[in-house]
Amino acid sequence: MKKYMSVVLSILALVGIIIGLVFWVTAFRASVQSYRSPLREVDLWPEQPATSTQTSKVVIVLISGLGYDASLTLDLPVLEQLKQIGANAAVQSAPPTFSQIAWATLMSGATPETNDAPPVDMQIEDLRLLEVDTIFARAHAANLKTALLGQADWRRLIPRNHLDYTFFVEEPSPEADQSILEAALSILENEAPELVLIQFSQVDVVAQQQGSTSQAAHQAAGRIEAYLEQIRAAIDPKHTILAVVSDHGHISSGGHGGDEPAVIWQPFVLVGENVHPGNYSDIHQTDIAPTITALLGVAPPGAARGNILFEMLRLDEYERVVAQLLLAQQRTKLAEAYVSAIKGEATLPETLMADLAQAQTALANNNLDGAFQLALLAQQEADAQMAAARNSRARIEQLPRLVLAGLMIFLGLNVIWRRRGLHAGSIIMAAMAAIALYHGLYQLQGHSYSLSSVAGDLTEFPFAVARRVAVSLLAGGGLLLVFLMLTDEANWLTLLGTGYGFSVLVAFVFMLPFFWGYWQNGLVITWHLPSVGPVFWQLSSAFEAMSVAVLGLILPWPIMILSLFINLIRRRLSATRAQTAEPGPWRGLRL
């Protein structure tokens, strides 16, 4: 009876894993698709218009998919020349490093968590307009003309009434990029808007399909170089600044979305009369939008979290102070809204508001240096308050999850230990062999343990996991069969229970990263974006454990049948050899 119950409980455990993880995957996917910025319904528009003056027009060339390392290894002489005559730096972006969310960060200065873009790239029909303002919104409000040329995804992200000129292509291709170039040159020569974004996508497409160091990537980069040279020739460097940016890089196999250095670092170049040339220290992707608005003489976007790159800009002292004061005002208002959204109430220290008020007084008294320092201090205090509020709530929520995850692991280990049998050693060795083979196959296929490895096609990922699990589980099951044959086990229930013990143990070990991810991030996305490392392990662990559970319901039966059959054949052969053995020389001798 005990053996029957052991088999039944194992089957129920595997079925429970399947049902539970199917529900989790469904809920997690829904939370990804429905995630919105906690600031999207907050009015972050400045109470007073900007008092700064425009110093330059800005043309931004977005070379999608060009990582910093790739910008050095690909043959890009035009970009290198721009670096020599302008300001350049390496840009660090925050994961998830998917395209649409990176575009939103570039345009809003907000972090991926608050820029209101989808956490993963979505089909155009599933996109929604960003409900946090961008550099286009700020420029349009200041009666500056704006233009946006690039992929059709932008049409569903940036409100049309913030753009004076647009040109979109439905599918990225060399021909589409050529069309974008021609439209951009026409706008630059005939319309002369104050803010222009021109996006080229073929480097991104080729790198994702064939790898970031492939010959095709070199060819695509060469075409973009020619486009960049034509755009440079079409603008007046005395009145227009050319900014070259990227959204993300790629791992060697072509994926992105994770936090690998090749993905999170991109090049940044500023060229123009109002730029201090030089090679500068690393910056953040969130710094680009506030810097652009400072050049345009408008307030930074309401959700911006970056700094103005004053060291790169030729601004007079008054313009510099006004830009920093506008940034401090924006950041203080953002901190009030963000802390209120996170904690339920805004509890900013009085010193922050006092520093901001003193900065305004210092500016009014023409104390420019004091005004700048006080405004910078107010901005830094606001940033610290937002970081502290987020980290505090995240830590509070992690504690009960840690207890629950630890309890689940303990109960699982306790059940596995209590149902151990005579073949526990064989089960453990076969399970470890199956898991080791799975990860060996994963690495041999060139994958990294990151979201970048699943970014190419999220729908293909579960099937790739299932194929590796099938090979690994069959190999482990074959090893278990060998062990069982060596023991000459004849009880079919014992054999069946051993097979199910193997399946349950493999599924449980594959589930361990899921519990860790649950402790770090929770089950679904709620008020903040989870860390991408634990998300990868949660997803891969879920699909691995589900695949093991499905196959594990079936595998013990052929193991039991083959073991009984082989042992039966072996016993019959042994009996036959005994019956046909030659009589010994003393057989039948009587004393």
Side-chain angles (χ1 to χ4, degrees):
M1 185 65 182
K2 184 177 180 181
K3 293 179 180 179
Y4 279 110
M5 289 302 299
S6 177
V7 170
V8 171
L9 288 176
S10 297
I11 293 174
L12 291 176
L14 294 173
V15 172
I17 289 173
I18 296 170
I19 295 174
L21 290 178
V22 166
F23 275 107
W24 175 79
V25 169
T26 303
F28 183 78
R29 180 180 179 183
S31 70
V32 170
Q33 294 175 334
S34 62
Y35 178 78
R36 303 300 300 266
S37 167
L39 301 171
R40 68 186 183 92
E41 295 181 348
V42 179
D43 181 13
L44 297 174
W45 203 259
E47 297 178 1
Q48 296 179 348
T51 58
S52 184
T53 57
Q54 181 184 2
T55 61
S56 298
K57 298 179 181 180
V58 180
V59 174
I60 306 170
V61 177
L62 169 58
I63 306 176
S64 288
L66 182 64
Y68 186 80
D69 291 342
S71 73
L72 300 177
T73 57
L74 296 175
D75 185 18
L76 302 174
V78 175
L79 184 62
E80 288 302 318
Q81 184 182 17
L82 293 176
K83 288 181 180 179
Q84 294 300 320
I85 64 174
N88 75 91
V91 180
Q92 183 179 16
S93 58
T97 48
F98 294 103
S99 296
Q100 293 162 356
I101 202 167
W103 302 346
T105 293
L106 286 168
M107 296 302 101
S108 68
T111 62
E113 187 167 290
T114 57
N115 65 29
D116 204 39
V120 299
D121 290 338
M122 301 178 71
Q123 297 297 321
I124 294 179
E125 58 270 15
D126 297 324
L127 291 175
R128 66 257 173 166
L129 292 175
L130 301 179
E131 294 192 24
V132 297
D133 64 310
T134 65
I135 58 176
F136 293 108
R138 296 301 193 190
H140 181 77
N143 296 317
L144 303 179
K145 291 183 179 180
T146 61
L148 174 55
L149 306 90
Q151 292 187 35
D153 306 44
W154 289 103
R155 186 186 294 124
R156 300 296 298 269
L157 293 173
I158 305 297
R160 182 62 182 85
N161 60 352
H162 294 167
L163 304 169
D164 295 288
Y165 308 100
T166 61
F167 184 86
F168 299 120
V169 295
E170 296 300 325
E171 294 293 337
S173 67
E175 294 76 19
D177 278 357
Q178 178 65 39
S179 300
I180 290 172
L181 173 68
E182 294 170 358
L185 293 176
S186 176
I187 291 174
L188 290 173
E189 293 172 0
N190 301 319
E191 307 299 340
E194 285 80 8
L195 175 62
V196 183
L197 172 66
I198 309 166
Q199 180 197 20
F200 298 118
S201 303
Q202 55 187 295
V203 171
D204 186 28
V205 173
V206 170
Q208 190 150 317
Q209 293 175 348
Q210 303 184 41
S212 58
T213 58
S214 64
Q215 183 60 34
H218 280 78
Q219 294 172 352
R223 289 190 292 268
I224 299 303
E225 280 272 288
Y227 300 163
L228 190 57
E229 178 62 33
Q230 294 181 63
I231 293 171
R232 175 192 174 189
I235 61 178
D236 179 5
K238 292 184 178 180
H239 302 98
T240 303
I241 285 181
L242 174 63
V244 182
V245 301
S246 183
D247 42 18
H248 57 76
H250 291 270
I251 58 176
S252 57
S253 60
H256 61 94
D259 57 358
E260 296 91 342
V263 176
I264 66 173
W265 290 96
Q266 308 95 42
F268 175 67
V269 181
L270 279 181
V271 179
E273 189 79 10
N274 292 324
V275 173
H276 286 294
N279 186 15
Y280 291 87
S281 57
D282 302 340
I283 66 172
H284 294 279
Q285 199 173 58
T286 52
D287 297 334
I288 295 174
T291 302
I292 299 300
T293 53
L295 289 169
L296 295 174
V298 300
R305 295 287 293 270
N307 299 313
I308 298 173
L309 303 174
F310 288 113
E311 65 276 16
M312 297 185 184
L313 309 181
R314 295 185 189 274
L315 300 177
D316 64 37
E317 191 174 7
Y318 181 81
E319 291 170 341
R320 184 169 172 264
V321 172
V322 170
Q324 180 58 50
L325 185 57
L326 287 172
L327 188 65
Q329 292 171 340
Q330 172 266 327
R331 204 59 56 85
T332 302
K333 190 169 185 178
L334 174 65
E336 289 178 336
Y338 184 77
V339 172
S340 178
I342 298 303
K343 293 179 126 182
E345 58 179 358
T347 55
L348 298 183
E350 295 181 0
T351 55
L352 192 160
M353 305 306 297
D355 287 339
L356 185 59
Q358 290 176 15
Q360 294 170 325
T361 301
L363 178 62
N365 295 330
N366 205 32
N367 180 4
L368 299 183
D369 184 63
F372 182 87
Q373 295 301 326
L374 287 167
L376 179 61
L377 181 60
Q379 176 211 328
Q380 293 171 342
E381 289 178 349
D383 289 339
Q385 290 297 316
M386 287 187 283
R390 185 195 185 283
N391 294 337
S392 174
R393 179 171 173 180
R395 285 195 299 268
I396 291 172
E397 292 180 352
Q398 280 182 341
L399 182 58
R401 294 201 301 260
L402 175 62
V403 174
L404 183 56
L407 179 61
M408 294 295 293
I409 293 174
F410 173 77
L411 291 176
L413 290 173
N414 185 59
V415 170
I416 291 173
W417 176 255
R418 286 180 176 276
R419 69 172 304 282
R420 72 189 187 280
L422 297 175
H423 306 293
S426 299
I427 292 173
I428 293 173
M429 287 188 289
M432 295 302 103
I435 295 167
L437 178 58
Y438 175 87
H439 288 285
L441 291 173
Y442 186 84
Q443 295 182 4
L444 285 174
Q445 291 173 347
H447 300 305
S448 62
Y449 294 100
S450 165
L451 280 181
S452 298
S453 288
V454 304
D457 188 356
L458 293 174
T459 60
E460 171 62 21
F461 180 64
F463 298 101
V465 168
R467 288 192 292 269
R468 285 191 295 269
V469 164
V471 172
S472 306
L473 204 62
L474 288 174
L479 183 61
L480 181 62
L481 178 61
V482 172
F483 291 150
L484 291 175
M485 288 190 300
L486 294 176
T487 62
D488 199 23
E489 178 64 59
N491 187 292
W492 72 273
L493 264 180
T494 300
L495 292 170
L496 193 62
T498 301
Y500 275 114
F502 165 73
S503 298
V504 170
L505 179 59
V506 174
F508 177 76
V509 173
F510 273 127
M511 280 285 291
L512 292 177
F514 182 87
F515 294 124
W516 173 67
Y518 165 69
W519 166 42
Q520 293 293 312
N521 294 332
L523 287 177
V524 297
I525 299 177
T526 53
W527 60 273
H528 69 99
L529 287 182
S531 302
V532 296
V535 165
F536 166 78
W537 284 108
Q538 276 182 294
L539 285 172
S540 59
S541 175
F543 289 122
E544 289 158 4
M546 275 195 291
S547 301
V548 170
V550 171
L551 296 172
L553 288 172
I554 304 169
L555 186 62
W557 293 90
I559 290 177
M560 179 266 292
I561 294 170
L562 285 172
S563 184
L564 290 176
F565 177 74
I566 293 172
N567 286 334
L568 176 62
I569 297 297
R570 186 168 59 184
R571 284 193 293 270
R572 287 187 177 182
L573 289 174
S574 298
T576 301
R577 284 197 298 268
Q579 291 175 0
T580 59
E582 292 285 341
W586 304 102
R587 187 180 177 88
L589 180 64
R590 294 176 181 272
L591 294 177

